[in-house]
Amino acid sequence: MTQALARTALSHHVCTGLSRRRLGALIGELTDPWMASEAGRLHERRGHERLRAPGAGPNHELVFADRVIATLVILRFQLPHAALAAFYGVDRSTITRAVHEIRPLLAARGFAVPGKPELRLRTLADVFAYAAAEGVELRIDGTEVQVRRPKANKPGRRAFVSGKRRQNTKKATVITDESGSTLWTGAVRPGRMHDQTALKTEGICDLFERYPEVRAKVDAGYRGLAKDFPNQVQAPPKKPGTDTPAQETAAWEEARHAQSAERICVEHANAEHKQWRTLQRYIGRREYYDETHLAIASLVSDRSAMR
C-alpha cells in the first residue's frame, strides 16, 4: 500500500473520528506549532543556528498530514504502532516519533466553547472566568480509566489502586456546561486519590472564593465541596435513615432524582470521551496517559461545541 492510499483510507471519519473538513482544519491549526517545535528541537540538537537554507537535507518519511492522521487513528483505536507502519510502508519507530510529536500539540489545544470559535479554555481558572462572564452553571464529575499495573516492589505502586473499582486506574475531572459540552478536563491523578482531593489540588476552592457568582452541580463524591460552598455547589441530598417515614423518603427520592437529571449531562460527556478506545482501557505507558486523555478530550470538545 502506498502512502497516498493509506492517507485516503485512514483519513475517513470512521478512522479518525473527524470529518475530512474538520480534519483539514485541524491539520492547518497544528502546522505552525509543529513547525515551531520542530525548529526548536533541531536547534537544540545542533547547538547552533542552521547552516543550510530551509528545505535542505532529507525529506520526512511521513508528511505532516500523515503524522496527524496516524496519531488520530492510534488515539481512536489504540492500534499497535507497527500496524500503522505497515499501512504507510515505514518503520515502526517513524510512527512512534510522529505520535510523540503530534500528541502534545493536541493536548495543548485547550477546549472549545459553544458559540465562540475563537475562544479555547486551557486552565481551570479559564473555566471559572468564562462561567462568571457568561452565567454558565457548571457540571463536575470524575472519571476513571484502567491502566497498566506498576511493577512489583515499585514505590508508589498502591497509589494507582482505585478504592471504587479495585483496579489500577488513573482518574480525571471533567467539567461541562448545562448542555453537556466539555469545557475542561484535567486534575489527572492516580486512582487511589479521591475525586474531591484531586480537584482541590487544582485550586478549585480558591476559584470558588474568587468567583462567588459561579454555580456548580456535583455528585455525592464532592459533598465536602458542597459543605464548604453551600451557596455555590449543589450535591445530592443525604439519604435518610431506615427509620425515616415513607413520606420523607419519597421526598428525598424525588429531590435526588431531580438533581441527578440536571447533572446527567456530565455523565454523557464522560461516555462521549470513552467512545475512543484508548479511554476504555489504556494499555500504553502510564507516563503518557495524562497527555493522551487531554488530547482526546480536546478533540471531543470540538464536536460538542458545534451541537
Side-chain angles (χ1 to χ4, degrees), residues 193-242:
M193 183 177 290
H194 194 278
D195 293 358
Q196 181 174 259
T197 304
L199 196 53
K200 283 186 174 181
T201 59
E202 290 289 318
I204 193 169
C205 294
D206 293 337
L207 291 171
F208 272 122
E209 292 174 357
R210 193 188 312 172
Y211 298 97
E213 66 274 30
V214 173
R215 303 288 186 270
K217 284 185 170 62
V218 298
D219 64 10
Y222 300 91
R223 199 179 297 280
L225 199 62
K227 183 178 179 181
D228 294 339
F229 301 95
N231 297 324
Q232 295 176 262
V233 182
Q234 183 191 78
K238 287 187 177 181
K239 185 176 181 179
T242 55

Side-chain angles (χ1 to χ4, degrees), residues 100-131:
H100 283 290
E101 291 175 2
I102 303 302
R103 187 175 55 204
L105 301 181
L106 293 172
R109 293 176 67 235
F111 304 92
V113 174
K116 294 181 178 293
E118 73 287 351
L119 177 63
R120 298 193 75 89
L121 309 178
R122 290 179 171 82
T123 66
L124 192 56
D126 291 344
V127 175
F128 271 72
Y130 166 74

Side-chain angles (χ1 to χ4, degrees), residues 252-263:
W252 165 80
E253 181 63 31
E254 183 178 353
R256 183 198 63 80
H257 187 272
Q259 200 269 354
S260 177
E262 294 179 342
R263 196 188 52 80

Side-chain angles (χ1 to χ4, degrees), residues 291-306:
E291 198 173 74
T292 299
H293 196 130
L294 295 181
I296 292 174
S298 173
L299 294 167
V300 172
S301 76
D302 293 339
R303 182 171 62 184
S304 63
M306 293 189 298

Side-chain angles (χ1 to χ4, degrees), residues 77-92:
F77 295 108
Q78 206 162 203
L79 289 178
H81 293 189
L84 270 295
F87 292 152
Y88 279 106
V90 297
D91 189 76
R92 180 201 57 79

